C-alpha cells in the first residue's frame, strides 16, 4: 500500500517537474516580448504545488519568480526607434498616467510601469495586477478596475436542498457608478460536521458586469504607438 503511494508520489513529482519546466522553457525561448512572456508565465501559476512536491518544484518555483522579475524589469527598447527605455519610479510615472489610472494605482487594483526613452520619443505604459486586484472588478461605466464591493445582501439562504442567492453591491472609486451582481450560494453539504453555511466557492451570475480582468496588451501612451520590447 505505502509502496504504491510512494510510486504514485514519485511519478507525480516527475510529471509536475517536467510539465512546469517544459512550459517555462517554451515561454522563455519564444519570440514574444517581455510583457507577453510575463503574462503567459503568470498564467502558469503552480499554486502551492511546490510545497507538496518540493524536490523538483521548489527549484522550479525559484526560477519562476526569477523569470517573472526578469520579464518585468529587464532593459526594454523602443519598438519605434530602438532607443533604450528607462523605468520611471512611482513619483515620476504620475505625470504619464491619467486620473483613472492613478486611482487604480492608489487603490492598488492595478500596478502600472511607465517606461520612457531619454528624449521622451516613446512612452510605454504596462499594466500589472496590483496587490489588491482581487478586491476590485472592472467598472462598466469607466472601464477602470475600480469597482469595489461595498455591501452584500443575502436574498435567499442556502439549504441542504436548494441554492441560495446574494447580491453584491459595488461602487466605483473612479466614477462613483453603482452596480450590483447577484451570486448563487452553493447548497449546504450534509456529511461535513463543520460545513460552511454559505460556502466560499460560488458561481456568479452577473446582472451587469463580469469580473474578468482586462489585462490585455500593454497600452502605449504619449508619443509611442506599439508595444515596445
Ligand atoms: Zn467607474
Amino acid at each position: 500500500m505505502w509502496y504504491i503511494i510512494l510510486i504514485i508520489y514519485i511519478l507525480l513529482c516527475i510529471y509536475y517537474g517536467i510539465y512546469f519546466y517544459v512550459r517555462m522553457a517554451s515561454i522563455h525561448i519564444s519570440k514574444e516580448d517581455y510583457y507577453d512572456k510575463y503574462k503567459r508565465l503568470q498564467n502558469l501559476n503552480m499554486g502551492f504545488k511546490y510545497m507538496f512536491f518540493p524536490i523538483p518544484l521548489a527549484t522550479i518555483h525559484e526560477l519562476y519568480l526569477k523569470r517573472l522579475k526578469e520579464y518585468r524589469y529587464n532593459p526594454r527598447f523602443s519598438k519605434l526607434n530602438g532607443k533604450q527605455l528607462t523605468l520611471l519610479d512611482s513619483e515620476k510615472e504620475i505625470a504619464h498616467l491619467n486620473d483613472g489610472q492613478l486611482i487604480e494605482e492608489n487603490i492598488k487594483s492595478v500596478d502600472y510601469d511607465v517606461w520612457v526613452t531619454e528624449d521622451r520619443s516613446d512612452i510605454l505604459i504596462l499594466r500589472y495586477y496590483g496587490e489588491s486586484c482581487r478586491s476590485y472588478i472592472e467598472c462598466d461605466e469607466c472601464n477602470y478596475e475600480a469597482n469595489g464591493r461595498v455591501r452584500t445582501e443575502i436574498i435567499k439562504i442556502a439549504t441542504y436542498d436548494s441554492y441560495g442567492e446574494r447580491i453584491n453591491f459595488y461602487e466605483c472609486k473612479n466614477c462613483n457608478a453603482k452596480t450590483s451582481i447577484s451570486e448563487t450560494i452553493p447548497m449546504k453539504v450534509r456529511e461535513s460536521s463543520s460545513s460552511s453555511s454559505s460556502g466560499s466557492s460560488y458561481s456568479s451570475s452577473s446582472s451587469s458586469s463580469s469580473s474578468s480582468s482586462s489585462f490585455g496588451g500593454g497600452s502605449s501612451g504619449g508619443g509611442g504607438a506599439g508595444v515596445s520590447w
Side-chain angles (χ1 to χ4, degrees):
M1 177 67 174
W2 288 111
Y3 185 67
I4 292 169
I5 290 172
L6 183 66
I7 297 280
I8 292 171
Y9 178 77
I10 291 170
L11 287 175
L12 279 174
C13 287
I14 293 169
Y15 168 76
Y16 281 129
I18 292 173
Y19 174 80
F20 283 110
Y21 190 79
V22 168
R23 292 287 304 274
M24 279 170 60
S26 80
I27 293 169
H28 198 57
I29 60 173
S30 75
K31 301 279 182 211
E32 292 168 313
D33 61 42
Y34 281 149
Y35 188 69
D36 290 336
K37 285 184 178 184
Y38 183 97
K39 281 191 299 170
R40 278 184 62 202
L41 191 57
Q42 200 173 41
N43 288 336
L44 185 66
N45 189 358
M46 63 177 76
F48 292 103
K49 288 190 189 71
Y50 67 94
M51 291 172 83
F52 298 106
F53 305 99
I55 293 298
L57 292 191
T59 314
I60 292 174
H61 188 251
E62 289 284 307
L63 184 64
Y64 171 87
L65 296 176
K66 187 172 161 258
R67 292 259 167 90
L68 279 180
K69 219 172 168 182
E70 257 178 56
Y71 298 155
R72 184 161 176 178
Y73 298 113
N74 264 11
R76 285 178 151 82
F77 297 89
S78 166
K79 271 186 178 172
L80 293 178
N81 50 36
K83 290 181 180 172
Q84 184 159 355
L85 294 154
T86 307
L87 179 63
L88 298 183
D89 61 32
S90 49
E91 290 290 313
K92 287 180 183 159
E93 72 181 17
I94 289 173
H96 300 282
L97 299 176
N98 63 34
D99 290 347
Q101 290 170 326
L102 288 173
I103 283 175
E104 286 177 319
E105 280 241 326
N106 283 337
I107 60 176
K108 297 189 190 319
S109 63
V110 179
D111 191 11
Y112 287 100
D113 281 0
V114 180
W115 294 79
V116 296
T117 53
E118 205 179 349
D119 58 4
R120 301 291 193 266
S121 57
D122 193 9
I123 300 167
L124 176 67
I125 299 174
L126 299 174
R127 254 167 106 83
Y128 296 92
Y129 291 117
E131 283 170 35
S132 306
C133 63
R134 289 176 191 277
S135 305
Y136 295 93
I137 59 173
E138 188 182 319
C139 172
D140 279 348
E141 300 296 321
C142 66
N143 297 119
Y144 288 104
E145 211 87 14
N147 226 358
R149 187 161 66 186
V150 285
R151 69 189 170 92
T152 296
E153 220 174 277
I154 306 244
I155 301 299
K156 188 170 168 257
I157 294 171
T159 66
Y160 291 112
D161 306 308
S162 65
Y163 291 99
E165 189 190 354
R166 67 177 149 228
I167 298 181
N168 295 323
F169 294 88
Y170 292 85
E171 195 172 324
C172 178
K173 298 270 186 191
N174 181 49
C175 69
N176 298 322
K178 292 176 176 60
T179 46
S180 60
I181 296 177
S182 73
E183 275 181 351
T184 302
I185 304 172
M187 276 191 273
K188 285 185 175 182
V189 182
R190 240 175 253 279
E191 285 92 344
S192 170
S193 56
S194 60
S195 66
S196 57
S197 59
S198 61
S200 56
S201 66
Y202 46 78
S203 63
S204 72
S205 63
S206 141
S207 63
S208 51
S209 68
S210 77
S211 62
S212 62
S213 307
S214 59
F215 285 74
S219 66
S220 188
V227 175
S228 300
W229 46 274

